Amino acid sequence: MALNARLDHRNPLVFDTHELGRRPGALQRLTRTVDAPKDFGIKEVIGVPEGAPVELDLRLESVMEGVLVTGTARAAAEGECVRCLEPLQLDVEAEFQEMFSYPDADDRGRVTAEPGDDAEDDEDRLFLEDGLFDLEPVLRDAVVLALPMQPVCQEDCPGLCAECGARLADDPDHHHDAVDIRWAALQGLADTMSDGEKDEMSGAEPGVDEKQEK
């Protein structure tokens, strides 16, 4: 069982549960606005800019084995439309719930899992450290899951013209005259034949002049 690295109570995403106490059923509600940490989103797709405000509404509940944290995070994410490549901004709301266990939870009567499952369960568990817990990893996972993998500036964004790259939303009537490739081939053949006829005519003209001279 690996405990969290030593936590800094000055970190705005580190919360103190001493006031809540360890009596099962005790509740505490918290509201806090924090600065978004670095790389808070889906890299190179969409995310909350570093330092942007993130509003947190939390509910802390003391249970037998630790503190159950339920909350909602709200922030403004920025990215790029996958269809027209224009910058976009959208409001994101992420809900989450996580258990932060007491380091001595097993000694306090925690219900154990099936034999052989304890090691795997402990790897996934988060722990309180001196009554503190770090919300950042939970918050980061929740926000990433709440963000769209393919963000669009609007649901019906038409994207870009495949031929010239023009943004179709700016010019709904934008189009290019379509040419049937079969006719284009025939036209090319006709142009080639016309050029050949011109060459033959230009080659015959000197002979005609010679006959006339004789």
Side-chain angles (χ1 to χ4, degrees):
M1 167 186 321
L3 301 183
N4 298 329
R6 186 162 186 81
L7 302 180
D8 184 353
H9 69 277
R10 294 169 297 183
N11 184 331
L13 286 173
V14 170
F15 291 81
D16 191 335
T17 66
H18 286 99
E19 185 177 341
L20 174 67
R22 295 182 66 159
R23 179 174 61 83
L27 296 175
Q28 184 180 13
R29 296 184 181 278
L30 299 173
T31 300
R32 182 181 296 183
T33 299
V34 301
D35 293 340
K38 185 179 180 180
D39 299 328
F40 199 49
I42 305 173
K43 189 175 182 180
E44 297 182 356
V45 178
I46 189 170
V48 181
E50 183 178 2
V54 180
E55 298 178 0
L56 300 175
D57 291 324
L58 304 179
R59 178 179 181 270
L60 279 56
E61 180 181 1
S62 179
V63 296
M64 183 65 70
E65 63 180 280
V67 175
L68 180 65
V69 179
T70 306
T72 302
R74 300 178 182 86
E78 297 179 0
E80 185 180 83
C81 177
V82 295
R83 296 179 187 170
C84 68
L85 307 182
E86 288 293 308
L88 61 82
Q89 184 178 85
L90 59 85
D91 294 331
V92 58
E93 181 172 301
E95 297 182 349
F96 52 88
Q97 185 175 73
E98 188 65 54
M99 169 68 73
F100 290 88
S101 301
Y102 297 121
D104 58 349
D106 286 338
D107 298 331
R108 302 179 70 249
R110 178 172 69 92
V111 177
T112 57
E114 293 296 326
D117 291 343
D118 289 349
E120 182 178 349
D121 290 345
D122 286 346
E123 289 180 1
D124 297 333
R125 293 170 64 197
L126 297 175
F127 292 88
L128 293 164
E129 180 186 310
D130 296 330
L132 304 175
F133 68 85
D134 184 2
L135 189 64
E136 181 174 340
V138 176
L139 184 60
R140 187 181 295 276
D141 289 346
V143 169
V144 168
L145 290 174
L147 291 171
M149 291 295 295
Q150 295 187 316
V152 292
C153 58
Q154 55 188 32
E155 290 298 327
D156 58 349
C157 174
L160 303 176
C161 173
E163 293 191 36
C164 67
R167 188 169 182 264
L168 299 178
D170 296 333
D171 183 9
D173 297 325
H174 178 85
H175 70 282
H176 295 271
D177 293 331
V179 178
D180 191 312
I181 58 174
R182 294 169 296 180
W183 288 112
L186 290 175
Q187 183 62 45
L189 179 60
D191 291 342
T192 301
M193 294 178 62
S194 297
D195 292 341
E197 291 175 357
K198 291 179 181 179
D199 292 341
E200 291 177 1
M201 292 179 63
S202 62
E205 288 177 359
V208 173
D209 292 340
E210 290 177 1
K211 291 179 181 180
Q212 291 177 349
E213 289 178 359
K214 292 180 181 180

PDB file of all heavy atoms in Angstrom, residues 3-20:
ATOM      1  N   LEU A   3       1.355   5.246   0.063  1.00  0.00           N
ATOM      2  CA  LEU A   3       0.659   6.465   0.449  1.00  0.00           C
ATOM      3  C   LEU A   3       1.046   7.610  -0.466  1.00  0.00           C
ATOM      4  O   LEU A   3       2.035   7.545  -1.191  1.00  0.00           O
ATOM      5  CB  LEU A   3       1.008   6.823   1.905  1.00  0.00           C
ATOM      6  CG  LEU A   3       0.651   5.758   2.936  1.00  0.00           C
ATOM      7  CD1 LEU A   3       0.975   6.269   4.333  1.00  0.00           C
ATOM      8  CD2 LEU A   3      -0.798   5.347   2.841  1.00  0.00           C
ATOM      9  N   ASN A   4       0.232   8.675  -0.462  1.00  0.00           N
ATOM     10  CA  ASN A   4       0.532   9.834  -1.280  1.00  0.00           C
ATOM     11  C   ASN A   4       1.854  10.458  -0.848  1.00  0.00           C
ATOM     12  O   ASN A   4       2.299  10.311   0.286  1.00  0.00           O
ATOM     13  CB  ASN A   4      -0.575  10.895  -1.130  1.00  0.00           C
ATOM     14  CG  ASN A   4      -1.911  10.382  -1.613  1.00  0.00           C
ATOM     15  OD1 ASN A   4      -1.962   9.566  -2.510  1.00  0.00           O
ATOM     16  ND2 ASN A   4      -2.982  10.877  -1.024  1.00  0.00           N
ATOM     17  N   ALA A   5       2.511  11.182  -1.774  1.00  0.00           N
ATOM     18  CA  ALA A   5       3.690  11.951  -1.403  1.00  0.00           C
ATOM     19  C   ALA A   5       3.240  13.026  -0.417  1.00  0.00           C
ATOM     20  O   ALA A   5       2.056  13.379  -0.357  1.00  0.00           O
ATOM     21  CB  ALA A   5       4.306  12.573  -2.645  1.00  0.00           C
ATOM     22  N   ARG A   6       4.162  13.545   0.341  1.00  0.00           N
ATOM     23  CA  ARG A   6       3.800  14.514   1.369  1.00  0.00           C
ATOM     24  C   ARG A   6       3.074  15.704   0.753  1.00  0.00           C
ATOM     25  O   ARG A   6       3.561  16.312  -0.198  1.00  0.00           O
ATOM     26  CB  ARG A   6       5.051  14.974   2.114  1.00  0.00           C
ATOM     27  CG  ARG A   6       4.720  15.867   3.303  1.00  0.00           C
ATOM     28  CD  ARG A   6       5.874  15.961   4.269  1.00  0.00           C
ATOM     29  NE  ARG A   6       5.484  16.700   5.452  1.00  0.00           N
ATOM     30  CZ  ARG A   6       4.817  16.182   6.462  1.00  0.00           C
ATOM     31  NH1 ARG A   6       4.468  14.916   6.436  1.00  0.00           N
ATOM     32  NH2 ARG A   6       4.484  16.904   7.520  1.00  0.00           N
ATOM     33  N   LEU A   7       1.921  16.035   1.313  1.00  0.00           N
ATOM     34  CA  LEU A   7       1.070  17.073   0.754  1.00  0.00           C
ATOM     35  C   LEU A   7       1.356  18.432   1.392  1.00  0.00           C
ATOM     36  O   LEU A   7       1.729  18.525   2.555  1.00  0.00           O
ATOM     37  CB  LEU A   7      -0.403  16.700   0.952  1.00  0.00           C
ATOM     38  CG  LEU A   7      -0.830  15.362   0.336  1.00  0.00           C
ATOM     39  CD1 LEU A   7      -2.313  15.112   0.606  1.00  0.00           C
ATOM     40  CD2 LEU A   7      -0.556  15.342  -1.164  1.00  0.00           C
ATOM     41  N   ASP A   8       1.155  19.462   0.595  1.00  0.00           N
ATOM     42  CA  ASP A   8       1.355  20.839   1.049  1.00  0.00           C
ATOM     43  C   ASP A   8      -0.014  21.480   1.256  1.00  0.00           C
ATOM     44  O   ASP A   8      -0.775  21.641   0.292  1.00  0.00           O
ATOM     45  CB  ASP A   8       2.163  21.610  -0.001  1.00  0.00           C
ATOM     46  CG  ASP A   8       2.490  23.030   0.448  1.00  0.00           C
ATOM     47  OD1 ASP A   8       1.994  23.462   1.503  1.00  0.00           O
ATOM     48  OD2 ASP A   8       3.240  23.715  -0.281  1.00  0.00           O
ATOM     49  N   HIS A   9      -0.334  21.841   2.486  1.00  0.00           N
ATOM     50  CA  HIS A   9      -1.662  22.390   2.770  1.00  0.00           C
ATOM     51  C   HIS A   9      -1.886  23.739   2.092  1.00  0.00           C
ATOM     52  O   HIS A   9      -3.018  24.209   1.996  1.00  0.00           O
ATOM     53  CB  HIS A   9      -1.848  22.539   4.293  1.00  0.00           C
ATOM     54  CG  HIS A   9      -0.982  23.601   4.901  1.00  0.00           C
ATOM     55  ND1 HIS A   9       0.333  23.373   5.245  1.00  0.00           N
ATOM     56  CD2 HIS A   9      -1.240  24.908   5.204  1.00  0.00           C
ATOM     57  CE1 HIS A   9       0.851  24.482   5.756  1.00  0.00           C
ATOM     58  NE2 HIS A   9      -0.071  25.418   5.743  1.00  0.00           N
ATOM     59  N   ARG A  10      -0.818  24.358   1.583  1.00  0.00           N
ATOM     60  CA  ARG A  10      -0.967  25.633   0.892  1.00  0.00           C
ATOM     61  C   ARG A  10      -1.419  25.462  -0.563  1.00  0.00           C
ATOM     62  O   ARG A  10      -1.850  26.417  -1.194  1.00  0.00           O
ATOM     63  CB  ARG A  10       0.368  26.397   0.925  1.00  0.00           C
ATOM     64  CG  ARG A  10       0.802  26.822   2.329  1.00  0.00           C
ATOM     65  CD  ARG A  10       2.226  27.316   2.342  1.00  0.00           C
ATOM     66  NE  ARG A  10       3.163  26.251   1.965  1.00  0.00           N
ATOM     67  CZ  ARG A  10       4.481  26.388   1.944  1.00  0.00           C
ATOM     68  NH1 ARG A  10       5.031  27.561   2.266  1.00  0.00           N
ATOM     69  NH2 ARG A  10       5.262  25.374   1.599  1.00  0.00           N
ATOM     70  N   ASN A  11      -1.332  24.257  -1.059  1.00  0.00           N
ATOM     71  CA  ASN A  11      -1.808  23.959  -2.411  1.00  0.00           C
ATOM     72  C   ASN A  11      -3.332  24.083  -2.428  1.00  0.00           C
ATOM     73  O   ASN A  11      -4.017  23.439  -1.632  1.00  0.00           O
ATOM     74  CB  ASN A  11      -1.384  22.538  -2.799  1.00  0.00           C
ATOM     75  CG  ASN A  11      -1.754  22.176  -4.223  1.00  0.00           C
ATOM     76  OD1 ASN A  11      -2.728  22.674  -4.786  1.00  0.00           O
ATOM     77  ND2 ASN A  11      -0.994  21.261  -4.797  1.00  0.00           N
ATOM     78  N   PRO A  12      -3.894  24.905  -3.316  1.00  0.00           N
ATOM     79  CA  PRO A  12      -5.352  25.105  -3.315  1.00  0.00           C
ATOM     80  C   PRO A  12      -6.157  23.847  -3.626  1.00  0.00           C
ATOM     81  O   PRO A  12      -7.358  23.797  -3.354  1.00  0.00           O
ATOM     82  CB  PRO A  12      -5.562  26.172  -4.395  1.00  0.00           C
ATOM     83  CG  PRO A  12      -4.341  26.114  -5.248  1.00  0.00           C
ATOM     84  CD  PRO A  12      -3.226  25.733  -4.338  1.00  0.00           C
ATOM     85  N   LEU A  13      -5.519  22.826  -4.185  1.00  0.00           N
ATOM     86  CA  LEU A  13      -6.224  21.578  -4.468  1.00  0.00           C
ATOM     87  C   LEU A  13      -5.996  20.521  -3.393  1.00  0.00           C
ATOM     88  O   LEU A  13      -6.402  19.369  -3.552  1.00  0.00           O
ATOM     89  CB  LEU A  13      -5.797  21.035  -5.839  1.00  0.00           C
ATOM     90  CG  LEU A  13      -6.379  21.797  -7.034  1.00  0.00           C
ATOM     91  CD1 LEU A  13      -5.777  21.306  -8.340  1.00  0.00           C
ATOM     92  CD2 LEU A  13      -7.907  21.671  -7.072  1.00  0.00           C
ATOM     93  N   VAL A  14      -5.361  20.921  -2.301  1.00  0.00           N
ATOM     94  CA  VAL A  14      -5.207  20.046  -1.139  1.00  0.00           C
ATOM     95  C   VAL A  14      -6.211  20.488  -0.072  1.00  0.00           C
ATOM     96  O   VAL A  14      -6.280  21.670   0.272  1.00  0.00           O
ATOM     97  CB  VAL A  14      -3.768  20.092  -0.588  1.00  0.00           C
ATOM     98  CG1 VAL A  14      -3.685  19.366   0.758  1.00  0.00           C
ATOM     99  CG2 VAL A  14      -2.795  19.475  -1.593  1.00  0.00           C
ATOM    100  N   PHE A  15      -6.992  19.545   0.428  1.00  0.00           N
ATOM    101  CA  PHE A  15      -8.066  19.869   1.380  1.00  0.00           C
ATOM    102  C   PHE A  15      -7.802  19.201   2.723  1.00  0.00           C
ATOM    103  O   PHE A  15      -7.276  18.082   2.788  1.00  0.00           O
ATOM    104  CB  PHE A  15      -9.419  19.420   0.818  1.00  0.00           C
ATOM    105  CG  PHE A  15      -9.869  20.215  -0.372  1.00  0.00           C
ATOM    106  CD1 PHE A  15      -9.363  19.929  -1.642  1.00  0.00           C
ATOM    107  CD2 PHE A  15     -10.771  21.260  -0.237  1.00  0.00           C
ATOM    108  CE1 PHE A  15      -9.768  20.663  -2.746  1.00  0.00           C
ATOM    109  CE2 PHE A  15     -11.179  21.995  -1.332  1.00  0.00           C
ATOM    110  CZ  PHE A  15     -10.680  21.700  -2.591  1.00  0.00           C
ATOM    111  N   ASP A  16      -8.213  19.896   3.777  1.00  0.00           N
ATOM    112  CA  ASP A  16      -8.010  19.441   5.148  1.00  0.00           C
ATOM    113  C   ASP A  16      -9.327  18.886   5.691  1.00  0.00           C
ATOM    114  O   ASP A  16     -10.365  19.550   5.625  1.00  0.00           O
ATOM    115  CB  ASP A  16      -7.536  20.619   5.997  1.00  0.00           C
ATOM    116  CG  ASP A  16      -7.051  20.182   7.378  1.00  0.00           C
ATOM    117  OD1 ASP A  16      -7.488  19.121   7.857  1.00  0.00           O
ATOM    118  OD2 ASP A  16      -6.249  20.920   7.976  1.00  0.00           O
ATOM    119  N   THR A  17      -9.278  17.670   6.228  1.00  0.00           N
ATOM    120  CA  THR A  17     -10.501  17.034   6.743  1.00  0.00           C
ATOM    121  C   THR A  17     -10.573  17.024   8.262  1.00  0.00           C
ATOM    122  O   THR A  17     -11.469  16.394   8.830  1.00  0.00           O
ATOM    123  CB  THR A  17     -10.592  15.579   6.230  1.00  0.00           C
ATOM    124  OG1 THR A  17      -9.529  14.806   6.797  1.00  0.00           O
ATOM    125  CG2 THR A  17     -10.508  15.518   4.713  1.00  0.00           C
ATOM    126  N   HIS A  18      -9.639  17.717   8.949  1.00  0.00           N
ATOM    127  CA  HIS A  18      -9.640  17.685  10.413  1.00  0.00           C
ATOM    128  C   HIS A  18     -10.947  18.232  10.987  1.00  0.00           C
ATOM    129  O   HIS A  18     -11.477  17.717  11.976  1.00  0.00           O
ATOM    130  CB  HIS A  18      -8.447  18.465  10.968  1.00  0.00           C
ATOM    131  CG  HIS A  18      -7.143  17.738  10.808  1.00  0.00           C
ATOM    132  ND1 HIS A  18      -6.249  18.014   9.791  1.00  0.00           N
ATOM    133  CD2 HIS A  18      -6.591  16.720  11.524  1.00  0.00           C
ATOM    134  CE1 HIS A  18      -5.203  17.215   9.900  1.00  0.00           C
ATOM    135  NE2 HIS A  18      -5.389  16.424  10.948  1.00  0.00           N
ATOM    136  N   GLU A  19     -11.459  19.284  10.362  1.00  0.00           N
ATOM    137  CA  GLU A  19     -12.703  19.874  10.855  1.00  0.00           C
ATOM    138  C   GLU A  19     -13.873  18.916  10.684  1.00  0.00           C
ATOM    139  O   GLU A  19     -14.818  18.911  11.489  1.00  0.00           O
ATOM    140  CB  GLU A  19     -12.978  21.191  10.121  1.00  0.00           C
ATOM    141  CG  GLU A  19     -14.188  21.945  10.647  1.00  0.00           C
ATOM    142  CD  GLU A  19     -14.391  23.276   9.943  1.00  0.00           C
ATOM    143  OE1 GLU A  19     -13.425  23.775   9.332  1.00  0.00           O
ATOM    144  OE2 GLU A  19     -15.515  23.820   9.999  1.00  0.00           O
ATOM    145  N   LEU A  20     -13.825  18.111   9.645  1.00  0.00           N
ATOM    146  CA  LEU A  20     -14.893  17.132   9.406  1.00  0.00           C
ATOM    147  C   LEU A  20     -14.919  16.081  10.511  1.00  0.00           C
ATOM    148  O   LEU A  20     -15.995  15.674  10.970  1.00  0.00           O
ATOM    149  CB  LEU A  20     -14.673  16.458   8.049  1.00  0.00           C
ATOM    150  CG  LEU A  20     -15.613  15.308   7.682  1.00  0.00           C
ATOM    151  CD1 LEU A  20     -17.034  15.835   7.475  1.00  0.00           C
ATOM    152  CD2 LEU A  20     -15.121  14.601   6.419  1.00  0.00           C
TER     153      LEU A  20
END
